[in-house]
Amino acid sequence: MDIKTRIKNYTRVQTIKALISLLPKFSNKNLIKMTYVAEKLTDTDWTKRQIREIRKYFQAGHPAVEFARRMARGLSPNCRDKFVRNFIINAGITGINKHMEYAKIHGYEPPWFILFSPTMRCNLRCVGCSTREYARDTDLPFEIMDRVLTEAKEEMGVYFVVTEGGETFVREDMLDFYARHNDVSFQVYTNGTLIDKKMAKRLAKLGNVAPVISVEGFEKETDERRGRGVWQKAMQAMDNLKKEGVFFGFSVTHHRHNTDAITSDEFFDFMINKGCYIGWFFQYIPLGKNPDISLMAAPEQRNKLRRAVGRVRNTKPIFIGDFWNDGRYVNGCIAARQYLHINNKGDVEPCAFMHFAVDNIRNKTLKEIMESPFFRAIRERQNAVGAARAYSDNMLTPCCVIDQPWVLREIVKEYGAHPTDGAHDLLDGPVAQALDEYSKRLHEIYDPVWKRDYA
């Protein structure tokens, strides 16, 4: 290591220590000061611009200030330290630096995060869930996940990983995986029923795992889809995590029957009071062996969610992500670009909702799969304004599964991708016809909105 690199690394370590030292001494002044300290850690203009935008929110007294105050006071010292080191610094700053370098050398953007489904085993049988018919005895080996994540960190700067299932917590060795990669920030989608007081303490000790607990709204909506008593167990899990100072949140699958509940101020206020720091919204997609078209939220309902999320972001101290309606923030579809999904069999899917694959991670590297013709074709068609066979110029309709379903059919056919779980229903028959109708109605609503407010 040359002297210039040593000096740079030493300066970076001292800057990180200064950033962390400000956390317990919360004040608006220190919060703004932290953004200046963080800006010194990055080498890329893009990241510097993002940090400056965050600073403007803090200076304007946005609810983000109260959100930061909640984190400073609510997280345990270990969880707070790991959040700063792993998520803000490793994933958000130094990882982005490596990410940009990789893109410059290889000519394409590597994933910012990876989604693993380590198992499809689950202790619940939710209505319309695409995992309920999966094989229960085929888990993704620990060694493969370890190899993939090591490659992703070292070559691409990936320090943010999401795990889902099935129910991830049925695999006890996943805690060993999180501990082995203690420089990574993990987000775990879970039904919460296995997070008892002992598990909450173990997660607090790890510090780098953020459970995101699935609900369908309030007790009525959750128990109707997930089973009687699941809501109470999920709420107890939140109480356990809050007591131990663990960073956690909620997730919702938006479907036909829960729109009013999940778009109400009462719902968001309740989740904030329970201790949630983040909330994620996903659309129900008719996947799996017996897809239920009738569960899909109508385009009008999806638009109501879009408006509700916008209102909450400007008024409440919680981070909300809307996987479909937020396309304008990430330049459209992020499949095969900003992330990918590795299922329990090792099939590498462009997206968690695009259940088609050409390659398997058991016999290929992550880099080889990112450079495959299948993944390249998806990236080339993603919302490139004016490009041939582009997804859509409307970033509110980013998805090639439900917003532009013909794009998925074309790519799957052209590159011989095979369905990983019975997703062939998306290509032909009643489900495909229903998606075409959904897409038509969605564009009738969203195209005028995009032209008027965002284009």
Side-chain angles (χ1 to χ4, degrees), residues 206-224:
L206 283 170
N208 64 332
V209 179
V212 179
I213 298 173
S214 299
V215 295
E216 307 296 326
F218 292 105
E219 184 169 17
K220 174 181 178 294
E221 294 82 12
T222 300
D223 283 3
E224 280 180 353

Side-chain angles (χ1 to χ4, degrees), residues 379-388 390-393 395:
R379 291 197 295 271
E380 287 170 0
R381 300 188 195 192
Q382 284 172 341
N383 304 98
V385 177
Y391 277 28
S392 172
D393 293 345
M395 299 297 178

Side-chain angles (χ1 to χ4, degrees), residues 28 31-32 35 53-62 64-65 68:
N28 287 14
L31 192 61
I32 294 169
T35 65
E53 286 300 313
I54 292 171
R55 185 184 305 139
K56 289 179 183 177
Y57 279 110
F58 291 160
Q59 291 170 333
H62 187 272
V65 174

